[in-house]
Amino acid sequence: MLDFSAIKAISLDLDDTLWPIWPVIARAERRLQDWLRPQAPQTADFLANEPQRQALRQQVLADMPHMEHDLRTLRTELLRRALSTHQEDTQLVQAAYEVFMSERNRVELFEDARPALDFLQSRFPLVALSNGNADLNRVGLGHYFRAGLSAQTFGVGKPDARFFHAAAQAVDVQPHEVLHIGDDAALDVVGALKAGMQAVWINRPGHAWPLREDVDESLDADAQPQTQKYLIQKHLTVSSLTELTRLWDRRP
Ligand SMILES: [Mg+2]
C-alpha cells in the first residue's frame, strides 16, 4: 500500500501509460514506408517486411549496444543501412526520420489520461520519465509537466536509478517523496522501488504480476527475501488511472 502523505511529486511513464503505443508505431512505420516508396522503392519494400526489418534492427543493436537507450540513433542508423544496402539515396535519412516522428507523436490518449493529468497536476508537480522518444509538446501534453526526461537525451533509461533520481531532482524533491506511475513491472515499478521511490503499476490488461513476488533477484540480489517482499509490497496496482485518482480521494 502507498504512503500517500509522503508524496510531493509524481513521475509518469508515457507510452502505454497515457496512450497505447503499438498502434502508433505500426502506423508510423507504414507512413514512413509510403513516404519512401516513390524515392527509394526497394528500401520501402524491405522495411515493409517485418521479419527483415526486425533482423536489421537486432543487427544495429548488436553493433551499437551503447546506443540502446537512443531510439533516434538506432532508427536513423537502420534507415541509413537499409538505403545503403539497396543503393538508394542515404540523404533521405533525416527527412524519413522526421516523417516517422511526426506520426509517432500523433497519439490517441487513453480515455482516463487527461482527467487523471488534471487531477494530479492540480496537486503535484509532474515529471515525464520515458525510455521512448515522444515529444510532449507535439503530443499536446507539454503544459501538464514541469519537466520531461527521456532516456535518449539523458543517456540511460529505466530501470537505472540515476534516471529516476534525475526526475526527483528536476522538481527539487527527494526520491522517497516521488510516486512513479507506469505500465512496465520491471522498468517502472521495480526500477522506481530500487531508486527509493513509491510506485504504481498501471495494469490495464489485467495481467498477473510478471516477476517473482517473494524473491526478485532484479530488485536487490543481496537483500533478505523478507526485505524484497516488503519492497515489492510498496507498490500499488491499479487497472486504470481513474482507479488511482479515486483511491486518492479515499486515502487513509
Ligand atoms: Mg510504458
Side-chain angles (χ1 to χ4, degrees), residues 13-17 21 130 158 182-184 187-188:
D13 172 53
L14 299 175
D15 294 329
D16 280 336
T17 293
I21 187 58
S130 176
K158 294 176 278 189
D183 70 288
D184 192 299
L187 299 182
D188 289 303

Side-chain angles (χ1 to χ4, degrees), residues 56-71 73-74 77 81 155-157:
L56 180 57
R57 189 171 194 280
Q58 288 310 317
Q59 190 57 52
V60 172
L61 254 177
D63 294 345
M64 318 173 85
H66 55 292
M67 285 292 166
E68 192 189 12
H69 63 280
D70 187 342
L71 298 180
T73 300
L74 294 178
E77 177 60 13
R81 289 191 192 185
V156 290

Side-chain angles (χ1 to χ4, degrees), residues 8-10 121 123-128 136 141-149 167 170-172:
K8 288 192 181 162
I10 306 251
Q121 186 225 21
R123 289 159 177 81
F124 305 101
L126 306 185
V127 189
L136 277 173
L141 297 178
H143 59 290
Y144 282 108
F145 292 89
R146 190 75 65 81
L149 276 67
V171 285
D172 244 346

Side-chain angles (χ1 to χ4, degrees), residues 22-252:
W22 293 108
V24 179
I25 297 293
R27 213 182 55 223
E29 297 281 11
R30 280 196 305 274
R31 174 90 186 78
L32 167 65
Q33 292 150 24
D34 292 347
W35 182 86
L36 277 171
R37 194 155 282 113
Q39 348 178 43
Q42 293 189 60
T43 301
D45 286 346
F46 172 84
L47 294 176
N49 182 318
E50 172 91 26
Q52 278 182 357
R53 188 177 75 237
Q54 289 302 340
L56 180 57
R57 189 171 194 280
Q58 288 310 317
Q59 190 57 52
V60 172
L61 254 177
D63 294 345
M64 318 173 85
H66 55 292
M67 285 292 166
E68 192 189 12
H69 63 280
D70 187 342
L71 298 180
R72 180 190 182 99
T73 300
L74 294 178
R75 183 164 289 276
T76 51
E77 177 60 13
L78 182 146
L79 283 168
R80 194 193 61 74
R81 289 191 192 185
L83 286 161
S84 163
T85 304
H86 297 97
Q87 295 176 324
E88 292 176 325
D89 186 3
T90 53
Q91 305 274 14
L92 293 170
V93 167
Q94 288 310 322
Y97 180 74
E98 277 313 311
V99 168
F100 177 87
M101 283 307 290
S102 68
E103 201 65 26
R104 193 256 187 261
N105 283 304
R106 282 186 53 226
V107 304
E108 202 173 309
L109 301 185
F110 287 118
E111 223 174 294
D112 59 3
R114 213 174 275 277
L117 286 170
D118 284 327
F119 179 98
L120 295 171
Q121 186 225 21
S122 67
R123 289 159 177 81
F124 305 101
L126 306 185
V127 189
L129 198 61
S130 176
N131 284 6
N133 55 355
D135 180 327
L136 277 173
N137 289 321
R138 282 166 90 173
V139 166
L141 297 178
H143 59 290
Y144 282 108
F145 292 89
R146 190 75 65 81
L149 276 67
S150 80
Q152 184 171 292
T153 44
F154 185 73
V156 290
K158 294 176 278 189
D160 194 299
R162 287 171 293 176
F163 195 37
F164 286 96
H165 291 165
Q169 215 167 32
V171 285
D172 244 346
V173 300
Q174 297 299 313
H176 71 271
E177 296 170 325
V178 178
L179 174 68
H180 178 73
I181 304 171
D183 70 288
D184 192 299
L187 299 182
D188 289 303
V189 177
V190 174
L193 293 173
K194 281 177 80 171
M197 295 179 173
Q198 299 193 76
V200 166
W201 185 35
I202 169 108
N203 178 21
R204 296 180 189 274
H207 290 146
W209 176 252
L211 310 170
R212 288 174 62 187
E213 285 245 6
D214 51 347
V215 182
D216 175 3
E217 280 107 23
S218 74
L219 192 58
D220 184 350
D222 299 327
Q224 294 298 311
Q226 279 314 311
T227 312
Q228 294 187 353
K229 192 171 181 181
Y230 168 74
L231 276 170
I232 289 286
Q233 281 170 349
K234 287 194 73 165
H235 87 269
L236 169 75
T237 302
V238 293
S239 61
S240 70
L241 292 170
T242 312
E243 187 184 338
L244 174 64
T245 54
R246 286 205 183 119
L247 271 173
W248 222 295
D249 279 336
R250 288 190 271 116
R251 68 188 181 274

